[in-house]
Amino acid sequence: MNSMNLLEKYGTVSAPAEITIQRKLPGPIERIWDYLTDSDLRSQWLASGIMPNATGGAFELVWRNDELTGEPETRPEGFPEEQRMTSEIVTFEAPHHLAFTWPPRGEVSIELKPVGSDVLLTLVHKCISDRKNMVMVGAGWHMHLDILAAKANGRKPDPFWQGWLRLREEYERLIPE
């Protein structure tokens, strides 16, 4: 997965209980770093929340997936309008590496690498509890990163829930039993 030519359309199971997803985004790297760490920019593709810029700092992520694309959609049953999660910064090395906890025991690591005028984003979500959650997490990160790519490229993103439902079915087929 180190070459831009090897970018997969989907995330891959990179180790037991671990998914890796990559995206090529338009640079510069500092711009993409801001999309990861600035609450206002991050709320446009993932979740809001003031993120400390030091290892060990706690922060809250607040998801409002209904608001990500501006398209009226029906939210799937069992998903609240707003979801909150408290995390802690594990690594904060601007503008190249960000890692944070994903309770109860997971961790998300995002690395940015300049490649010419573009940026290779590599996201690794570790310690996913079971296959069902790997499907949900894979589809979720995939859709959120698709929205980030659209925003970073100045395009209108596809509707969130519609895309997530489609991707959940695709990850259900792709992730081994």
Side-chain angles (χ1 to χ4, degrees):
M1 281 197 183
N2 293 332
S3 168
M4 295 300 278
N5 296 328
L6 297 177
L7 279 176
E8 298 288 334
K9 178 179 177 184
Y10 296 95
T12 58
V13 177
S14 45
E18 179 179 295
I19 290 181
T20 298
I21 300 178
Q22 293 186 310
R23 290 290 180 274
K24 183 177 95 172
L25 303 167
I29 193 171
E30 293 81 7
R31 176 173 170 257
I32 301 305
W33 180 258
D34 288 345
Y35 270 106
L36 301 180
T37 59
D38 178 88
S39 178
D40 291 335
L41 289 172
R42 190 177 351 92
S43 71
Q44 295 177 28
W45 68 277
L46 179 66
S48 64
I50 304 299
M51 183 179 282
N53 60 359
T55 300
F59 66 102
E60 183 176 54
L61 288 170
V62 181
W63 281 267
R64 292 185 186 97
N65 292 332
D66 296 352
E67 300 173 6
L68 291 176
T69 57
E71 296 288 329
E73 296 185 88
T74 302
R75 183 179 330 111
E77 189 173 322
F79 287 89
E81 183 176 335
E82 178 180 285
Q83 189 166 345
R84 294 174 176 263
M85 179 179 78
T86 300
S87 293
E88 183 177 304
I89 299 291
V90 175
T91 306
F92 195 96
E93 298 170 357
H96 298 282
H97 188 200
L98 173 67
F100 52 91
T101 61
W102 191 277
R105 66 179 199 270
E107 181 178 305
V108 173
S109 173
I110 304 172
E111 291 190 34
L112 301 178
K113 178 182 175 185
V115 179
S117 62
D118 293 323
V119 177
L120 175 63
L121 179 149
T122 302
L123 181 143
V124 179
H125 190 132
K126 300 177 184 176
C127 299
I128 302 170
S129 60
D130 55 32
R131 184 184 178 281
K132 178 184 176 191
N133 280 323
M134 286 186 78
V135 168
M136 304 277 280
V137 164
W141 279 120
H142 187 132
M143 191 62 206
H144 283 291
L145 290 173
D146 282 356
I147 292 171
L148 171 59
K151 298 270 184 177
N153 281 292
R155 294 189 322 261
K156 182 177 176 163
D158 292 333
F160 178 81
W161 289 115
Q162 180 182 327
W164 182 82
L165 287 167
R166 176 184 49 79
L167 288 164
R168 185 181 65 177
E169 290 177 13
E170 292 173 16
Y171 276 86
E172 183 66 45
R173 287 190 301 273
L174 292 169
I175 293 179
E177 294 284 340

